[in-house]
């Protein structure tokens, strides 16, 4: 393999259990998002747009959909002869290794993959964040500071700060302390889970960490603190822009809704920074003679006869006559039959809402065998369900 | 179907699409909100299981090469077989002069000879449908035809066959007569410009015609052989759109607003593939109204759209009104502008407050990159 200056590793093995029935049969990064994407498209597109052409994707939980979706990486321009995208599942060897025990262990077990490219730097990313970021700028910052590690941070509001991993820094950005979910935060710079490491140094720390039986083999809990303790040059890189974690039903719903707004902070229509995705091979959508669509995103292949407001229809959704859909996400191929009413509902892929069914989200709803209800009252119908 | 070689014939010029056809060959005319004409026939071939497709081109073929740049999107990035562009050779006449399609075939006979497939389906690009060729192929083989012509019985819809190839079909299906652009029709059957024959016969016809100074595949290669060869018709019963003129183009585009037709042409025997552009879903803003229209991805709509087709990345600003119109890729319609019965070619811009109105069924055609 040719030497690469910097390669990316995307952690995509987590279950995302807080997404409930959305991740029953697929990993969180593969969950459909924003009308035509899957969550991991944003990270993969960022790599591609930042000229990073070598990307390892670490998978573990329910990888079938994710594996077949990523394939050889063509949609993201990552089908390369040298590098490109590589899926890195857990494996056994002569020593009988097991599952990835944590984020750091996942990379430790793939040291051989990284070594092939003899990179100076590795970029460690999560497969479940929605944002647009030019990693090459972060790498330039890392080099300029002569850092051992750089952690991308974003300013969050002070009252939210105790929900994040917080970086306490000196004026020049050097990190002096890292606190995971501090009760009384002393800074509002939250870690985005995006790291650049000097590879040789990280490798040493990973090997050391793997020997520690008490470690939970996690970047935030173990690797970063031990590097700090060791007095390494670690810097916070301030990212300004839209960045969201979509770990819960609420945040997943909110971030989708953010795309709808007339002045959305995340521009998915920018031809200089495209978000690449698999081509759904469907015709333009059809809005019928009595259709009414307001403040919504509609993807290819949809047929709309009813009313849609403040909602997102993914590819191939059918909306019958007199249907009223409000504040909802309708995943690929779902069919909403005549006279149905939906408000604050997430309808899973391939599900059918029968004629005349009325579902209005709200906290008073109880979970049934057909759907979950989130803490804030969003109804979530799993995939291939008939309601 | 891997015993069949697909040849798409974009080397004929018997149509008139005025402004939208000036810079393009028929194959690369945009159609249906996100496609080019060639996508339909090419997808039909792929969905029928054909894995080797050659495309005969002659003029203005840069855009078709650009469109087909990545055979991946058509699943034709094969090690054996796959997708081939067959350009004209300059062994005929003056470079740049228009050739007959047989001359282009003749220039590529070595490609055709080298293919391992024995049968050939040769198809034009101006007739759109969603067809599985295997039934026609079975008829061709079982009936031991020399040539099978796939046709559509237009019934009462004989409005304008003057630019089509008209057939007279006998009761047993044999082709009795055939005319290209007839002055008086000889029946209700229209050739869909799709012909099945063996590779051997195609080579023989081509060589015989060329050596006698004849250059037209249909007029010389087929019509002159009626009565000499066993030429039968295969009747196709599905929906067919045929585009020879601006009126046809407009009419059949608008017919896609019928969901049954939309569904048949885009889904019946398989999907229609095209080049991916990675646009976001269409975005409807506050105050938009859209009725009876096809909207492609990447559109951002603040205004009103009715009975129209918007291609990818069209921007419709506040208060703009688009009615009975076709707006191609990357156009922008300014605030309070009005478009009615217009075909607006790509990359054009209608500025604030402009009104452009054509008459019913006779749309105004505006060339690409126009700013009004």
């Amino acid at each position: 393999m040719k030497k690469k200056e910097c390669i990316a590793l995307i952690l995509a093995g987590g279950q995302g259990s807080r997404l409930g029935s959305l991740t029953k049969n697929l990993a969180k990064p593969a969950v459909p998002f924003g009308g035509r994407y899957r969550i991991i498209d944003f990270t993969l597109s960022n790599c591609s747009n930042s000229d990073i052409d070598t990307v390892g994707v670490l998978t573990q939980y329910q990888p079938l959909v994710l594996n077949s979706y990523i394939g050889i990486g063509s949609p993201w321009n990552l089908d390369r002869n040298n590098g490109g995208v590589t899926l890195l599942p857990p494996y056994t060897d002569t020593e009988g290794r097991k599952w990835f025990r944590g984020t750091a262990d996942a990379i430790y077990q793939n040291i051989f993959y990284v070594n092939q490219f003899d990179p100076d730097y590795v970029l460690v990313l999560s497969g479940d964040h929605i944002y647009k970021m030019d990693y090459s700028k972060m790498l330039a910052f890392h080099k300029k500071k002569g850092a051992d590690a750089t952690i991308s941070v974003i300013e969050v509001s002070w009252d939210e700060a105790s929900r994040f991993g917080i970086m306490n820094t000196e004026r020049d950005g050097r990190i002096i302390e890292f606190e995971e979910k501090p009760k009384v935060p002393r800074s509002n710079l939250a870690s985005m889970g995006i790291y650049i490491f000097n590879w040789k140094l990280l490798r040493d720390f990973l090997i050391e960490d793997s020997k520690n039986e008490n470690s939970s083999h996690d970047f935030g809990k173990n690797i970063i603190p031990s590097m700090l303790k060791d007095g390494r040059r670690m810097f916070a890189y301030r990212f300004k822009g839209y960045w969201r974690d979509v770990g819960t039903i609420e945040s997943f719903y909110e971030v989708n809704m953010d795309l709808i707004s007339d002045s959305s902070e995340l521009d998915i229509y920018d031809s200089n920074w495209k978000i690449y995705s698999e081509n759904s091979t469907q015709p333009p959508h059809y809005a019928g003679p009595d259709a009414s669509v307001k403040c919504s995103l509609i993807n290819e292949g949809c047929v709309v006869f009813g009313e849609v407001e403040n909602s997102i229809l993914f590819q191939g959704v059918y909306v019958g006559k007199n249907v009223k859909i409000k504040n909802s996400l309708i995943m690929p191929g779902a069919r909403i039959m005549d006279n149905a009413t939906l408000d604050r509902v997430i309808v899973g892929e391939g599900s059918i809402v029968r004629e005349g069914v009325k579902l209005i989200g709200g906290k008073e709803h109880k979970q049934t065998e057909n759907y979950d209800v989130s803490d804030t009252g969003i109804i979530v119908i799993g995939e291939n369900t008939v309601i | 179907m891997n015993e069949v070689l697909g040849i798409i014939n974009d080397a004929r010029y018997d149509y008139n699409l005025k402004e939208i056809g000036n810079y393009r060959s028929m194959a690369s005319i945009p159609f249906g909100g996100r496609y080019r004409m060639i996508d339909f026939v090419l997808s039909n071939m792929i969905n029928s299981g054909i894995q080797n497709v050659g495309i005969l081109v002659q003029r203005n073929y840069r855009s078709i090469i650009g469109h087909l740049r990545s055979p991946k999107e058509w699943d034709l990035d094969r090690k054996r077989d796959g997708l081939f562009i067959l350009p004209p050779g300059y062994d005929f006449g003056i470079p740049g002069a228009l050739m007959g399609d047989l001359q282009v075939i003749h220039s590529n006979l070595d490609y055709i000879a080298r293919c391992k497939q024995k049968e050939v389906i040769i198809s034009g690009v101006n007739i759109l449908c969603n067809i599985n060729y295997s039934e026609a192929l079975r008829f061709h083989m079982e009936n031991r035809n020399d040539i099978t012509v796939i046709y559509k019985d237009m019934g009462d819809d004989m409005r304008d066959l003057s630019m089509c190839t008209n057939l007279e079909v006998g009761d047993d299906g044999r082709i009795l007569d055939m005319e290209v652009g007839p002055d008086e029709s000889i029946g209700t059957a229209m050739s869909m410009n799709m012909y099945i024959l063996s590779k051997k016969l195609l080579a023989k016809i081509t060589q015989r015609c060329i050596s006698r100074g004849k250059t037209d595949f249909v007029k010389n290669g087929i019509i002159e052989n009626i009565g000499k060869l066993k030429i039968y018709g295969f009747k196709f019963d599905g929906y067919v759109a045929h585009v020879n003129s601006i009126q046809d183009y407009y009419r059949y585009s608008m017919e896609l607003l019928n969901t049954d037709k939309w569904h048949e042409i885009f889904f019946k025997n398989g999907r229609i593939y095209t080049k991916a552009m990675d646009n976001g879903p269409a975005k409807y803003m506050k105050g938009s109204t859209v009725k009876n229209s096809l909207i492609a991805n990447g559109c951002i709509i603040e205004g009103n759209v009715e009975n129209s087709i918007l291609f990818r990345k069209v921007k419709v600003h506040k208060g703009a009104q688009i009615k009975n119109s076709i707006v191609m890729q990357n156009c922008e319609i300014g605030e309070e502008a009005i478009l009615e019965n217009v075909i607006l070619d790509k990359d054009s811009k209608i500025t604030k407050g402009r009104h452009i109105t054509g008459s019913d069924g006779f749309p105004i055609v505006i060339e690409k990159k126009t700013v009004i």
Side-chain angles (χ1 to χ4, degrees), chain A residues 323-343:
Chain A
V323 166
K324 289 187 169 55
I325 297 177
K326 259 177 126 174
N327 309 315
S328 295
L329 307 176
I330 317 293
M331 302 273 197
R335 298 177 69 79
I336 316 299
M337 310 314 278
D338 294 356
N339 304 313
T341 302
L342 301 176
D343 189 356

Side-chain angles (χ1 to χ4, degrees), chain A residues 199-259:
Chain A
W199 169 238
K200 293 201 173 79
L201 178 81
L202 175 65
R203 191 170 55 193
D204 293 344
F205 274 84
L206 290 175
I207 293 170
E208 203 53 45
D209 176 74
S210 74
K211 294 175 191 154
N212 181 354
E213 303 238 319
N214 298 321
S215 169
S216 45
H217 310 292
D218 184 86
F219 272 96
K221 284 183 198 138
N222 309 101
I223 302 295
I224 303 297
S226 49
M227 280 187 176
L228 272 172
K229 216 167 122 192
D230 203 40
R232 296 292 165 174
R233 282 178 68 79
M234 302 175 76
F235 283 82
Y237 171 75
R238 279 184 189 230
F239 173 74
K240 289 202 176 77
Y242 186 92
W243 173 86
R244 294 289 187 281
D245 178 278
V246 285
T248 63
I249 293 285
E250 280 75 24
S251 61
F252 176 76
Y253 177 82
E254 290 305 328
V255 177
N256 271 286
M257 287 298 155
D258 281 352
L259 284 181

Side-chain angles (χ1 to χ4, degrees), chain B residues 17 28 38 46 62 81 88 105 165 176 215 257 259 285 288-289 299-300 349 363 366:
Chain B
L17 285 174
S28 53
I38 195 171
I46 295 154
R62 184 192 51 78
D81 301 336
I105 296 175
T165 300
L176 304 174
T215 61
L257 298 178
T259 40
M285 312 279 262
S288 66
T289 54
C299 287
I300 299 181
K349 192 174 171 181
I366 297 169

Side-chain angles (χ1 to χ4, degrees), chain A residues 90-98 108-109:
Chain A
Y91 59 92
T92 59
D93 60 11
T94 48
E95 289 157 38
R97 286 233 184 81
K98 312 167 201 73
Y108 167 74
Q109 293 202 38

Side-chain angles (χ1 to χ4, degrees), chain B residues 49-321:
Chain B
I50 294 174
Q51 292 176 28
N52 194 4
V53 179
I55 299 167
L56 299 166
V57 296
Q58 185 166 184
R59 273 211 313 209
N60 300 335
Y61 56 83
R62 184 192 51 78
S63 70
I64 208 66
I65 291 177
H67 183 66
L68 300 173
R69 186 177 59 101
S70 156
K72 216 157 36 193
E73 322 233 28
W74 285 266
D75 201 25
L76 286 173
D77 52 334
R78 306 264 73 91
K79 281 211 164 171
R80 276 185 305 157
D81 301 336
L83 184 71
F84 298 86
I85 304 279
L86 309 177
Y90 283 118
D91 35 355
F92 298 98
I94 316 145
L98 204 57
M99 299 179 188
D101 52 353
L102 273 178
Q103 289 172 310
V104 184
I105 296 175
H106 190 268
S107 304
N108 290 285
L109 275 180
D110 57 339
Y111 160 78
I112 294 168
R114 208 171 48 228
C115 296
K116 67 176 194 300
Q117 289 82 4
K118 290 203 166 63
E119 305 296 320
V120 177
I121 292 180
I122 178 163
S123 171
V125 281
N126 67 327
I127 302 221
L128 308 180
C129 62
N130 196 316
I131 185 176
N132 186 327
Y133 290 115
S134 47
E135 223 182 305
L137 181 71
R138 197 178 317 124
F139 169 69
H140 176 79
M141 303 303 276
E142 281 171 6
N143 207 39
R144 295 172 181 276
N145 299 339
D146 291 318
I147 300 175
T148 302
V149 182
I150 302 177
Y151 73 93
K152 169 80 182 170
D153 192 330
M154 300 302 285
D156 298 334
D157 190 14
M158 297 291 292
R159 192 186 41 87
D160 184 11
L161 287 188
S162 65
M163 290 174 92
C164 300
T165 300
N166 202 193
L167 304 174
E168 188 188 346
V169 187
D171 294 337
D172 60 345
R174 188 152 187 152
I175 304 294
L176 304 174
D177 198 6
M178 195 165 167
E179 281 185 287
V180 178
D183 47 313
E184 255 178 79
S185 63
I186 49 174
T188 56
M190 174 188 76
S191 161
M192 288 169 63
N193 299 340
M194 298 168 186
Y195 305 94
I196 306 177
L197 68 172
S198 72
K199 203 167 76 174
K200 247 190 203 153
L201 181 60
L202 176 65
K204 196 169 146 195
I205 287 175
T206 306
Q207 265 151 350
R208 282 182 67 94
C209 286
I210 292 296
S211 61
R212 287 165 177 74
K214 295 174 176 175
T215 61
D216 191 287
F217 174 65
V218 176
K219 288 178 190 161
N220 307 125
I222 296 184
I223 295 179
E224 288 178 13
N225 278 314
I226 289 176
K228 294 179 203 156
L229 294 172
K230 199 174 166 190
I231 304 178
Y232 272 74
F234 175 85
K235 192 167 146 205
F236 175 69
D237 288 321
Y239 174 69
V240 166
H242 58 99
V243 177
N244 297 300
S245 64
I246 283 287
Q247 278 71 36
D248 292 339
Y249 179 84
Y250 182 71
R251 173 189 164 182
Y252 287 106
S253 293
M254 289 305 170
E255 283 196 5
L256 293 177
L257 298 178
N258 172 321
T259 40
D260 291 338
K261 289 173 180 165
W262 177 87
H263 202 270
E264 172 165 350
I265 207 150
F266 290 122
F267 293 97
K268 196 177 178 197
N269 295 298
R271 306 270 176 92
I272 308 299
Y273 304 93
T274 192
K275 184 171 154 183
M277 306 242 303
D278 296 286
N279 295 309
K283 185 166 188 171
Y284 289 71
M285 312 279 262
K286 269 185 205 117
S288 66
T289 54
V290 176
K291 308 264 181 219
N292 193 36
S293 295
L294 280 186
I295 313 287
N297 273 6
C299 287
I300 299 181
I301 305 172
E302 282 184 272
N304 310 302
V305 183
E306 201 181 331
N307 304 330
S308 295
I309 297 176
L310 305 192
F311 281 66
R312 293 184 274 199
K313 282 183 80 179
V314 171
K315 264 200 180 131
V316 183
H317 290 281
K318 220 177 266 173
Q321 294 196 32

